Amino acid sequence: MSHTTIRASVEKADAHDKVTGAAEYPADRKFPDALTAMVVFTDRPHARLLALDISAAEAVDGFVALLLAADIPNNEYGLTMYDQPVLIGTGSSNQSGVPTDVSRWEGDQLAVVVAESPEAAKKAAELLNPTWEELPVVDSIDDALAEGAPLLHPEDGLDSNVYQTYKFRKGDVKAGWEKAVVIVEDTYEVPYQEHAYLQPEAAVSYIDEAGRVTIEIAGQWTVEDQMQIAHALELPLEQIRVIYPAIGGAFGGREDMSFQIVLCALSLKLRAMGINRPIRSTWSREESIIGHHKRHRGRAWAKWGADESGHIVAVESEGWLDAGSYNYTTNKVLGNMHLTLAGPYRIPNARIDTHAVYTTTVPGGAFRGFGGPQGTFVSESQMNKLAEKLGMDPVALREINLLEDGDESITQAPLPLGVSVRQVVAETADAANWGEPHPGGPDVRPFRSLPGRPGATRRGRGFACAIKNVGFSFGFPERSDARIELHGGDVIDKAILFHGAADVGQGTHTVLRQLVAEALDVDVSQVDAVYSDTATTGDSGSASASRLTWMAGNSVLQAAAEAEKAWNQGDRPAIGEARFVPPSTEPFDPDGGRSEPNFAYGYVAQAIDLSVDVETGYIRIDRVFSGVDVGNSLNPILIEGQSEGAIVQAHGYTLSENLQAKDGRILNPRLSQYLIPGIGDVPKEVHTIRVEVPDPLGPYGARGMAEMPFIPYAPAVVAALHDATGVWFTEFPLTPDRVRAGLAAFSQT
């Protein structure tokens, strides 16, 4: 009997439980004898801890224990650099390379209180009495670059707060400018964005039946969490267990630590005190917004030139990302921004520099698109301005310059085979009837209680496209593990998949079951799975970089082949194990960027129709046509869901989400102050165009795609707004006040 499970819209494995409320998120994990932990933030953007009086906190009725910096054997952590203390304490730890007595961010953690109840924990936390020496706040990129700015990480041995720089040097830029008949030059600003996932940070820790310190938490990579815990607590990996229950969204916001290290340290401390009780903790929404990283704010200057036929002849650009207080993944995000400042185009002559800068503000880190949205806003805005200056259609200009298989990219090496951006652009433009005017519609109603004012509505269309890596980059040793057990007699009755992959809402667990069923020719109902538990599952790599279906899918197919081989040899149960390793990648050459930084890419294009009320500055997105190369539609309905979700998230980034920070502090840490789109705010129509150009290395030809529809949205909206009003905007979010001010300034010129 033949079963076909890929290309089918199989229902998400967790859909029923999430809809009915049966799914258990970390905050739902109840234990009758659990203690409560409360993390205490320093609440100091930049200050040195001189003393900490804990006596009043210890006297609180119900107080159990207090975790301090001295309790952390190796008081440092970080996803790509160990540049952050786990807890801020008096004096500097001899074990850590980073000074641990300085708070560089209001969300640095000072201590963790454990008590019998939330009320007692809160009271004890409020009675901690630190003494601080205030230090100068470095509030922005400009402050960090200013002459005489305090060095925030002197342990780096650098003479400035710029700690990472990438360079592209390609061709002869001077000769390129001599060929240019049109030149566009501008400076762009990109804002913070809050992840705003549905489930704030929560966790429970305990010592399990095997004596392992265990944490149940929402994350994106169990093994990486395990390794960071092990590093800070100086424990063997096998003494640490990380489990992910249901995960209420991530988007990159759960790549870094929240409770992982401190709750594990607390469980160990309590055991040493003779107390063996679970510890639970949950952040409020405000604590969540304060205490985890954001999409990077940044700035980039760009100068692009083209000849009379529209061919790009020269690009110069310089960009900066505000890393905030610690690196998190800034060095990697910067690498993606660096690549996308050149867009998916043939560029013969280029000089591009990008920099990461420390400040005493909220850290920047991983967020859907991972540097692609920032760089693409610049490169696609430049392309649209070139088109206007040349008097060319913006799609036609792109078609002249788009990369194809065999072309040399900005890194002076061809992209991996399967470069499909030309087909993505063409199919998106066709679906949108590009070249036709905005089809019209009702006037904009900026106030729901009032009709639109006749004559105040303007309409426009905009286009943008993008490229982004699939998988980890720049020489990282990529891998993904899978294990499959086959049970039955003459025929396979059941297959069990063991995989570390985190399902953060994207449907990975469903797709992996489909791949197992397809590979073994069984029904998907015959496939069970165990996920995201370091006691039983291997190293999946992170649920990020649009990599999980691509990487985990390949590992599953290899494990299925091994299990089938064992089955045919008569093993019962038959077991297949595999570690998939993709082609290697390379870091940028430090002098000119020459490299092969990625083994796979995704491609996307968008056409956007909008209407704007020029009296109020209120924008309505009427239609979005989003074309993305998915390689092969393993589960079409999940692809559409990811596409629409990315577009709504990008819509908030572009139009309404306005995280405010001043003097190193977030000013609006509540969702009532931070306007993520509601159901009445999202685009009126979203059309997902599934382009299918199989990736030569993807599982059944599939490509990673979950980040792609986010990336070109902002420049496409800005282009449509320009088409409607004649005004270019170089920063966003395009809130009504900003749009109205921009239109007013334009009218006065």
Side-chain angles (χ1 to χ4, degrees), residues 273-293:
M273 296 167 60
I275 301 171
N276 189 20
R277 295 169 63 183
I279 306 167
R280 298 179 70 248
S281 193
T282 301
W283 279 353
S284 67
R285 178 63 64 178
E286 292 76 18
E287 288 173 310
S288 185
I289 291 177
I290 292 290
H292 76 75
H293 70 263

Side-chain angles (χ1 to χ4, degrees), residues 624-628 639-640 643-644 647 686-690:
V624 180
F625 297 89
S626 183
V628 59
I639 288 169
E640 290 186 19
S643 178
E644 292 170 5
I647 287 164
V686 174
H687 303 273
T688 297
I689 301 103
R690 288 185 284 115

Side-chain angles (χ1 to χ4, degrees), residues 98 109 278 426 506 629 702:
V98 59
Q109 297 182 11
Q506 79 279 42
D629 185 1

